Amino acid sequence: MISADEQKAQAASEALKFVQEGMLLGLGTGSTAAHFVRQLGAKVAQGFKIAGVPTSIATEELAKEVGVPLLNIDEITTLDLVIDGADESDNKLNLIKGGGAALLREKVIAQASKHMIVIADESKLVSKLGKFPLPIEIIQFATTITINQIKLVLEQCGVKGLVMAIRQKDGKSLITDNGNYILDCQCLEIPDPETLCIELNKIPGVVENGIFPNFKGAKRTLILGSPNGARVIEI
Ligand code: 5RP
């Protein structure tokens, strides 16, 4: 048996095999992405040439610490590959992300990338999204209005047993890297992730939500660590 953290490290090292010299990489956020950034740093130290763009301030700090060269996001339009973690993936590779409160920058980078590799321990693969509370980034203004509108949309999209709370950290509402709140929505099950993603983003106070639908056209690969070795899933 190997631990969840060992599975994360295993998935990260499998993802590293997809990285070619000269690539421009999106660097995800969270403990699994951190394994990848550290492993990439070790490769860079041996002379391997790539450049990265971080999806959070935490990842930026880690990348600098381990010597991964970074580019300014405003200097680029597309990336070759983004490697990021996930809180859940269904078997169509639709994701829930945002457990690390970085979903907005993660989605900007993912949508600008030709290929997204999602790395995770095997517990993240689920038959239906929604057990992990869906994070939604909302503005600080008029939260009562925004939360009420989110509740209506979630109910219209078939979510039952809904519980919502603004994420707290150190006794205060967490503020994202972009100056917003995260609303965590316990949905239990999300019947139609793609529709819910679109409908939530129509609410003016919603900046972005943590559903990453696997839209046709963009390449997505899921790499799961497991006691029997890394599993690579592409559909
Ligand atoms: C951050 C994320 C993370 O990728 C997600 O929460 C998974 O984290 P971990 O790798 O620590 O399990 O979406 O916003």
Side-chain angles (χ1 to χ4, degrees):
M1 201 58 199
I2 64 169
S3 69
D5 195 58
E6 286 165 330
Q7 292 181 27
K8 291 176 182 191
Q10 186 192 67
S13 71
E14 190 67 28
L16 202 54
K17 296 179 188 165
F18 287 75
V19 178
Q20 292 167 16
E21 187 120 29
M23 277 187 164
L24 176 55
L25 302 175
L27 306 172
T29 297
S31 57
T32 321
H35 277 297
F36 177 81
V37 173
R38 284 196 203 94
Q39 292 176 17
L40 184 65
K43 222 170 156 178
V44 167
Q46 292 163 6
F48 190 69
K49 292 202 173 20
I50 48 87
V53 176
T55 53
S56 62
I57 294 170
T59 298
E60 180 177 349
E61 287 169 353
L62 176 63
K64 285 178 179 163
E65 186 190 313
V66 300
V68 173
L70 296 178
L71 280 188
N72 180 341
I73 185 70
D74 294 321
E75 291 170 12
I76 59 151
T77 50
T78 53
L79 297 97
D80 297 298
L81 179 63
V82 57
I83 301 94
D84 203 348
D87 299 299
E88 284 184 349
S89 171
D90 66 16
N91 53 17
K92 294 182 179 142
L93 309 195
N94 298 305
L95 312 173
I96 287 184
K97 288 185 49 55
L103 66 98
L104 176 58
R105 295 188 188 196
E106 290 173 336
K107 203 178 265 193
V108 170
I109 299 293
Q111 290 202 358
S113 300
K114 292 175 201 156
H115 183 187
M116 179 179 198
I117 297 184
V118 181
I119 49 178
D121 64 273
E122 66 177 358
S123 73
K124 304 289 182 71
L125 183 62
V126 296
S127 53
K128 278 260 176 214
L129 296 184
K131 206 164 168 208
F132 188 89
L134 174 64
I136 304 177
E137 185 152 350
I138 61 172
I139 59 170
Q140 293 192 37
F141 176 75
T143 54
T144 308
I145 291 174
T146 300
I147 291 171
N148 190 48
Q149 291 174 347
I150 290 173
K151 187 169 178 284
L152 292 175
V153 165
L154 284 161
E155 285 170 358
Q156 279 158 13
C157 288
V159 171
K160 299 188 184 93
L162 182 63
V163 182
M164 302 188 289
I166 291 181
R167 194 178 299 178
Q168 303 293 301
K169 192 181 176 192
D170 304 328
K172 286 183 273 183
S173 296
L174 178 146
I175 308 293
T176 68
D177 289 351
N178 319 297
N180 301 308
Y181 291 145
I182 294 287
L183 183 73
D184 288 309
C185 303
Q186 181 56 263
C187 302
L188 302 178
E189 194 174 302
I190 298 174
D192 179 353
E194 193 168 324
T195 302
L196 180 60
C197 179
I198 292 165
E199 293 304 317
L200 284 171
N201 284 357
K202 289 180 183 167
I203 299 170
V206 168
V207 184
E208 191 48 81
N209 72 82
I211 300 173
F212 284 51
N214 189 12
F215 290 119
K216 288 192 183 70
K219 189 172 174 195
R220 190 171 287 181
T221 304
L222 174 64
I223 302 181
L224 295 172
S226 89
N228 307 318
R231 255 173 83 195
V232 179
I233 303 171
E234 264 166 353
I235 57 160

